[in-house]
Amino acid sequence: MSRTIMLIPIGTGVGVTSVSLGMVRAMERQGVAVNFFKPIAQPRPGDHGTERSTTTLRNSSNIQPPEPFAMKYAEGLISSGHTSELLENIVERFREGTKDNDVIIVEGLVPTDKHQFANSVNYSIAKALGAEMVFVTHPSNDSSQQLKERMEIAVSSFGGKQNKSIAGCIINKVGAPIDENDSAGFDLSEMFDIPEGSVNNNLEVLQMFSKSPLPILGCIPWSADLIAPRVKDLAAHLEADILNEGDLENRRLHSVTFCARSIPNMVQHFKPGSMLVTSGDRSDVIIATCLAVMNGMKIGCLLLTGDYTPEEEVWKLCRSAMASGLPVLLIKSNTWQTAQRLQNFNMEIPVDDLERIEKVQEYIASHIDKHWLNTLTEDSSLSRRLSPPAFRYHLTELARKANQRIVLPEGEEPRTIQAAVICAERGIAKPVLLGNPAEIRRVAAQQGIVITDEVEIVNPTDVIEQYVAPMVELRKGKGLTEVVAREQLQDTVVLGTMMLAENEVAGLVSGAVHTTANTIRPALQLIKTAPGASLVSSIFFMLLPDQVLVYGDCAINPDPTADQLADIAIQSADSAIAFGIDPKVAMISYSTGNSGAGSDVEKVREATKIAQERRPDLLIDGPLQYDAAVMENVAKSKAPDSKVAGQATVFIFPDLNTGNTTYKAVQRSANLISIGPMLQGMRKPVNDLSRGALVDDIVYTVALTAIQATQANEKAALAKG
């Protein structure tokens, strides 16, 4: 039986769209089929095209919400006394558009001066759809007591406390800066400067509502990171000319500095992510900005006012800074006029800003009450699927439970530092950065990253000596001497591997700047393969829009034999099981079944036979062409009797050339996230990164490694016991 949750905003500016996005993500994490419905479109001033919430979810997920009714159409029916007709049409569209879903999130109208009928219409829609009502509000300037009273008054308009369809409330933007007019519509220039004492304490709010019959289902702290706009959005708002594009598309702004003073009095305000605003004829500011950029400071952008184009001589001095990605914008208005225009900048999420949408969804989903979410999905009849959000959530939850210490040998690399901080903040692992502490902190400061005490920093020069003797002992069969061991330990990957060999850390993640060989070779020499493993292989988790697939081996074995290919299939199937994926293993070839011949096909056919004999408990079939493995209609034609064809979740490629090419083609062509390579068959987990890895790639690889470490420990304990 499906569940319908209607989010009803109490007042303006509560962020109901963001809460809707977060609720959809929370449901995706639960692995149920979720959909969204905004019954009546409510465009904001300046909006063009389709309804914002609906469009945002269509652009950022695999969800296809029903189309909302136009506000003019709804107003026409309401004003002519035909509200019942409107409700009938809404119910019809709702049922047709969401009939295959388990949970549907419905977003209500925001009560405004123009739409004073919002509350009565919201209540009517909730009753018509049989929805459970969740009120969404924000504290504004209210005390916790005033907020509680305001919510209880609002509830009275929806049947009062005795209405069993009222599930509770979500309090958003707790601690947001509020101006003197009690408005959360602060402008960009002040959004990161929160006056002391302006923050509503989450705990205080929760304690006050503990005395209320209205449960709090989410208490979401305000976060400046969630409203950081792209430079391109601000450039469009200001109608700026682009003097240097740089990283205009992706760079984000976290603060604004108006450079009207002398250089010595301004440089302290040059910060990562800052938009520096100055008159275009201030050559001193322009050059100082470029010097900061050349010294590693990731300035958000440089905005030149007054329609003054920098002199050619100055521009030549700044070429290196321009080449590093600094966006430079030029506008006609003066600095004062620019400050006025910034106050009108729309801080809402653009429908095409997928990175920010993802961040908002994850953040808000993590602040929704888990117990309540479980009650929404406890019905055993609900279908379950491991969607990408569910998989990522599953990873982080398992990693938190594992609570493992993971070493990152590339400790001075910016992405690695940021990933370590995220892992520590989210409790994914206890990260250990190897590198010079001063350099690590310098790089972090340039990126605007604060390294907390939860991130451990180990200086290699302080600890190398203690690993010389153990390393010599491990490699004594190869004639390793202390001199050579000491020299090899200068490589932080080798040092980190020795920390793993000595059980001081549970796993290792490297590869952001090192090659696969640099990462794996020390592990093979010092860690060795797991008991019973004949080889080391790898898999990638491919996060398709509606499911997660496993690809192996795409990183390690160039041309495995049939026996090795069988082992790779078994290792990959076991890894899939360990991470919550039901393994249906397809042995990929250019031929399906007995339709083709040749040594390559015979190798896959033989590998399939060996794997089936070794693990009769697994569903393994091959040879299968890729389309026969993944498409049901092709499978019915080419392999009608196969229990794998058309529904494969694990794909085993015949060689490295095929596997690596396929995974990259699928990843890049479909713009998918892939996590890996995750190594299989090691005695202790060591995982490699792509040198083009994003911060999130590193974070999830750390999570994988932490989980692998726990699984390895459990296997070792079983073997002993």
Side-chain angles (χ1 to χ4, degrees):
M1 180 178 175
S2 63
R3 302 280 292 272
T4 302
I5 308 299
M6 185 163 179
L7 301 175
I8 300 176
I10 303 301
T12 59
V14 301
V16 68
T17 294
S18 295
V19 175
S20 295
L21 294 173
M23 277 295 299
V24 168
R25 176 53 50 86
M27 293 297 100
E28 288 178 322
R29 284 177 169 186
Q30 299 293 316
V32 298
V34 63
N35 209 335
F36 170 83
F37 184 40
K38 174 87 172 180
I40 303 172
Q42 192 174 22
R44 280 76 153 176
D47 274 1
H48 302 285
T50 53
E51 194 275 324
R52 180 182 291 266
S53 299
T54 304
T55 304
T56 299
L57 279 164
R58 284 176 179 165
N59 289 350
S60 62
S61 71
N62 200 41
I63 291 173
Q64 291 299 315
E67 194 68 28
F69 289 96
M71 178 60 76
K72 285 186 178 180
Y73 171 78
E75 287 175 328
L77 289 175
I78 293 168
S79 62
S80 62
H82 293 90
T83 302
S84 59
E85 182 181 339
L86 173 64
L87 293 174
E88 288 171 13
N89 292 339
I90 286 173
V91 171
E92 180 183 12
R93 187 166 293 184
F94 170 81
R95 289 180 176 172
E96 282 299 313
T98 64
K99 58 187 176 183
D100 296 324
N101 299 110
D102 298 323
V103 178
I104 303 97
I105 307 299
V106 178
E107 182 181 307
L109 291 170
V110 178
T112 65
D113 291 340
K114 287 182 65 178
H115 305 131
Q116 295 185 11
F117 53 79
N119 280 343
S120 62
V121 170
N122 284 338
Y123 191 19
S124 296
I125 291 173
K127 288 188 288 186
L129 299 180
E132 300 165 55
M133 292 180 283
V134 175
F135 301 109
V136 181
T137 189
H138 67 94
S140 188
N141 266 342
D142 288 348
S143 67
S144 296
Q145 176 64 34
Q146 291 170 327
L147 175 63
K148 172 176 171 288
E149 292 171 355
R150 177 156 58 89
M151 288 303 302
E152 290 175 350
I153 291 170
V155 167
S156 66
S157 300
F158 291 84
K161 298 173 184 177
Q162 67 273 16
N163 187 344
K164 294 181 180 179
S165 294
I166 296 176
C169 67
I170 293 174
I171 304 174
N172 193 22
K173 300 182 179 180
V174 178
I178 305 293
D179 66 20
E180 64 273 13
N181 297 316
D182 194 23
S183 169
F186 41 88
D187 65 77
L188 182 69
S189 61
E190 64 186 7
M191 70 181 185
F192 292 91
D193 185 19
I194 307 174
E196 191 173 345
S198 69
V199 175
N200 291 78
N201 185 279
N202 277 36
L203 183 59
E204 181 188 340
V205 171
L206 291 169
Q207 288 174 337
M208 181 57 65
F209 270 76
S210 67
K211 305 169 188 175
S212 169
L214 186 66
I216 290 184
L217 306 177
C219 196
I220 305 165
W222 181 79
S223 171
D225 282 343
L226 300 184
I227 57 173
R230 299 169 297 189
V231 175
K232 65 176 282 187
D233 300 322
L234 198 68
H237 171 72
L238 296 173
E239 300 175 310
D241 292 327
I242 313 300
L243 298 186
N244 188 67
E245 183 171 357
D247 193 19
L248 184 80
E249 292 285 327
N250 302 307
R251 196 160 292 195
R252 295 190 178 274
L253 301 174
H254 295 281
S255 62
V256 176
T257 296
F258 291 92
C259 303
R261 289 165 284 181
S262 63
I263 296 298
N265 292 319
M266 285 190 305
V267 290
Q268 61 181 324
H269 299 289
F270 286 20
K271 299 175 182 177
S274 177
M275 180 174 75
L276 304 181
V277 184
T278 188
S279 175
D281 59 358
R282 285 289 303 270
S283 298
D284 56 338
V285 176
I286 296 170
I287 292 173
T289 301
C290 292
L291 282 172
V293 170
M294 291 167 66
N295 278 300
M297 180 73 70
K298 196 172 182 180
I299 301 293
C301 78
L302 179 62
L303 177 63
L304 305 178
T305 64
D307 205 22
Y308 296 115
T309 303
E311 298 173 357
E312 183 63 29
E313 291 78 9
V314 173
W315 203 245
K316 286 179 181 177
L317 287 173
C318 298
R319 280 178 180 166
S320 294
M322 302 297 115
S324 73
L326 174 69
V328 181
L329 315 178
L330 176 67
I331 57 175
K332 291 183 172 63
S333 57
N334 61 35
T335 302
W336 182 84
Q337 292 167 329
T338 302
Q340 294 293 107
R341 293 176 71 182
L342 284 175
Q343 293 182 22
N344 299 320
F345 180 67
N346 187 349
M347 301 300 295
E348 291 189 274
I349 311 171
V351 295
D352 67 336
D353 191 349
L354 301 185
E355 179 186 347
R356 189 168 155 201
I357 291 167
E358 174 73 15
K359 184 175 287 189
V360 167
Q361 285 192 282
E362 286 293 326
Y363 182 81
I364 290 182
S366 67
H367 287 87
I368 304 296
D369 182 73
K370 292 181 181 178
H371 174 72
W372 177 62
L373 291 175
N374 288 335
T375 67
L376 298 180
T377 58
E378 64 190 4
D379 186 345
S380 59
S381 67
L382 298 183
S383 59
R384 297 282 172 170
R385 61 197 177 98
L386 197 64
S387 64
F391 179 70
R392 292 196 298 267
Y393 179 66
H394 185 60
L395 279 186
T396 53
E397 285 298 291
L398 286 176
R400 287 190 186 104
K401 291 177 183 177
N403 193 31
Q404 298 287 3
R405 191 167 180 245
I406 306 298
V407 65
L408 303 168
E410 299 159 325
E412 297 173 8
E413 198 276 324
R415 291 165 296 167
T416 303
I417 294 171
Q418 190 174 348
V421 171
I422 292 171
C423 286
E425 287 177 348
R426 294 171 60 185
I428 289 171
K430 299 174 183 176
V432 181
L433 293 173
L434 292 185
N436 183 297
E439 178 63 12
I440 290 173
R441 296 189 185 282
R442 184 189 71 81
V443 173
Q446 287 179 341
Q447 303 296 314
I449 300 168
V450 177
I451 297 182
T452 62
D453 293 339
E454 284 73 29
V455 178
E456 185 180 350
I457 299 174
V458 174
N459 192 338
T461 58
D462 294 341
V463 299
I464 281 176
E465 201 58 38
Q466 71 189 61
Y467 296 106
V468 173
M471 186 171 173
V472 169
E473 178 64 24
L474 284 172
R475 299 285 289 161
K476 63 184 178 182
K478 300 295 183 180
L480 185 71
T481 65
E482 287 191 6
V483 173
V484 175
R486 194 172 286 110
E487 180 182 343
Q488 290 182 1
L489 284 165
Q490 300 296 322
D491 182 339
T492 54
V493 177
V494 176
L495 178 60
T497 306
M498 276 305 304
M499 293 175 70
L500 181 58
E502 291 294 289
N503 296 318
E504 293 177 6
V505 293
L508 178 147
V509 174
S510 180
V513 293
H514 289 85
T515 65
T516 297
N518 289 146
T519 298
I520 296 174
R521 188 184 302 111
L524 292 174
Q525 293 173 343
L526 301 168
I527 303 298
K528 313 291 186 184
T529 56
S534 62
L535 83 168
V536 173
S537 65
S538 73
I539 56 170
F540 282 88
F541 294 97
M542 307 295 291
L543 276 57
L544 274 64
D546 57 353
Q547 66 175 324
V548 179
L549 302 179
V550 174
Y551 281 11
D553 172 6
C554 304
I556 304 295
N557 297 284
D559 189 16
T561 64
D563 193 72
Q564 291 172 328
L565 200 59
D567 276 352
I568 292 170
I570 292 168
Q571 287 180 346
S572 302
D574 285 339
S575 292
I577 293 169
F579 289 94
I581 299 170
D582 182 22
K584 295 180 181 179
V585 184
M587 308 293 285
I588 301 299
S589 178
Y590 62 76
S591 172
T592 295
N594 297 315
S595 64
S599 59
D600 292 337
V601 180
E602 289 302 323
K603 181 178 79 169
V604 174
R605 186 173 289 119
E606 179 64 19
T608 303
K609 183 180 178 182
I610 294 170
Q612 290 170 338
E613 290 173 350
R614 289 179 182 171
R615 290 292 298 275
D617 58 308
L618 295 174
L619 282 179
I620 303 173
D621 197 8
L624 290 170
Q625 290 166 285
Y626 192 94
D627 59 350
V630 77
M631 299 176 68
E632 289 187 16
N633 60 332
V634 177
K636 288 177 182 178
S637 170
K638 293 187 175 183
D641 298 325
S642 174
K643 294 181 180 180
V644 172
Q647 49 188 330
T649 56
V650 179
F651 296 74
I652 305 302
F653 298 99
D655 52 54
L656 185 58
N657 183 49
T658 307
N660 192 270
T661 302
T662 303
Y663 114 76
K664 287 187 175 177
V666 172
Q667 179 193 29
R668 301 302 179 189
S669 299
N671 194 28
L672 303 177
I673 294 173
S674 67
I675 300 176
M678 187 187 89
L679 301 189
Q680 308 172 129
M682 295 294 301
R683 189 167 58 88
K684 297 179 181 179
V686 173
N687 282 313
D688 182 38
L689 298 165
S690 163
R691 275 168 283 178
L694 302 175
V695 172
D696 278 351
D697 296 334
I698 302 174
V699 170
Y700 288 119
T701 303
V702 170
L704 284 173
T705 307
I707 297 165
Q708 279 185 293
T710 297
Q711 292 167 349
N713 292 340
E714 290 171 353
K715 287 180 181 178
L718 285 173
K720 287 181 181 178

